[in-house]
Amino acid sequence: MKLIEFDNVSFSYGDTPVLQGVSLSIARGQVVAIMGGSGSGKTTLLKLIGGQLRAQGGAVLVDGENVGLMNEAALYQMRRKLGMLFQFGALFTDLSVFDNVAFPLRERTQLPASMIRDLVLMKLEAVGLRGVADAMPHELSGGMARRVALARAIALDPAAMLYDEPFTGLDPISLATVGKLIRELNDALNTASIVVTHDVAESLAIVDYIYFLAEGRVVAQGTPAEVQASEHPFVQQFIHARPDGPLPFHKPAPPYAAQLGLL
């Protein structure tokens, strides 16, 4: 079943088009990567799913419901189905690890304190960090902080998980650990996971499908095996980190010498 679906979605910031006729879908049990250069619309895509932005063309569907038609109350209910791992974790710096993970449970449920305690410890155990429940965020390494943020994101057992650059700034061991957790938690919870990332190697190891965005469009897609075998110029440039290709290094500009007044 398709849990998240984009049907010919378009969105612009003012006169600048960001997404143009994007169609994609993510089913329960799938981990799907969204890849593309900076400014290709990847984070905008996540904001459209959460309802922070509204599509200006087409439809964004979450569990069969059109996000663009939801009022504030309906958006709040829909967001209960979503978990979000922000870039760099975004932990509350003045709350302990335990209270960070407990926060969504306290805000969105009426569960007794004893049950919240058990659930928090369960989520921390799932990411291997039950032993730091009383620590403060500044006492954690970058990888540990990201894992605590992941425990908080899954606190309410979301139907869909959104990951915004989850591997940024991590050392190779922490990166592999977080990647492994994303895959294992997705399979254990049977969620639909969207991973916005630039990390090609780790993504190819954990995802089921990949969409490549360029200039606001899906320019290529496929399974990891199909992507690795692809001869599509953009895919080749991206997975091999080539500076020259369909994604230009230079943005269009007037002649350099003329702009400097040398002509």
Side-chain angles (χ1 to χ4, degrees), residues 112-130:
S114 60
M115 186 172 292
I116 288 177
R117 175 184 178 277
D118 291 348
L119 286 171
V120 169
L121 294 178
M122 184 186 304
K123 302 307 179 184
L124 286 172
E125 177 70 14
V127 299
L129 292 177
R130 183 166 49 85

Side-chain angles (χ1 to χ4, degrees), residues 29-217:
Q30 273 192 315
V31 180
V32 172
I34 309 294
M35 292 187 175
S38 298
S40 59
K42 303 184 302 297
T43 299
T44 297
L45 185 147
L46 296 183
K47 291 180 178 179
L48 287 166
I49 294 171
Q52 290 96 334
L53 300 174
R54 307 279 181 135
Q56 294 156 352
V60 179
L61 306 175
V62 174
D63 205 13
E65 297 183 83
N66 190 331
V67 176
L69 301 180
M70 294 179 180
N71 59 25
E72 186 174 350
L75 277 173
Y76 187 82
Q77 289 300 316
M78 181 275 293
R79 287 171 183 156
R80 292 172 65 95
K81 301 176 182 179
L82 305 178
M84 178 76 186
L85 182 64
F86 298 95
Q87 192 175 121
F88 300 113
L91 296 178
F92 298 115
T93 56
D94 293 334
L95 297 182
S96 69
V97 165
F98 182 95
D99 288 333
N100 262 279
V101 180
F103 185 84
L105 293 164
R106 291 168 176 162
E107 283 291 305
R108 295 190 173 185
T109 74
Q110 301 296 320
L111 295 172
S114 60
M115 186 172 292
I116 288 177
R117 175 184 178 277
D118 291 348
L119 286 171
V120 169
L121 294 178
M122 184 186 304
K123 302 307 179 184
L124 286 172
E125 177 70 14
V127 299
L129 292 177
R130 183 166 49 85
V132 299
D134 296 328
M136 298 299 291
H138 70 268
E139 299 176 290
L140 306 176
S141 68
M144 291 170 69
R146 204 73 54 89
R147 286 154 63 192
V148 171
L150 181 52
R152 182 181 62 184
I154 63 169
L156 293 170
D157 293 333
M161 276 295 302
L162 313 180
Y163 297 91
D164 190 8
E165 297 289 358
F167 309 124
T168 299
L170 296 181
D171 63 78
I173 295 173
S174 296
L175 188 152
T177 300
V178 170
K180 182 171 177 283
L181 281 171
I182 289 173
R183 182 75 252 183
E184 290 180 347
L185 291 171
N186 184 86
D187 294 343
L189 299 173
N190 194 34
T191 58
S193 295
I194 301 178
V195 184
V196 165
T197 181
H198 293 107
D199 195 288
V200 175
E202 188 60 36
S203 297
L204 289 175
I206 67 167
V207 305
D208 300 299
Y209 205 79
I210 302 168
Y211 291 95
F212 288 92
L213 290 180
E215 298 181 345
R217 302 181 187 277

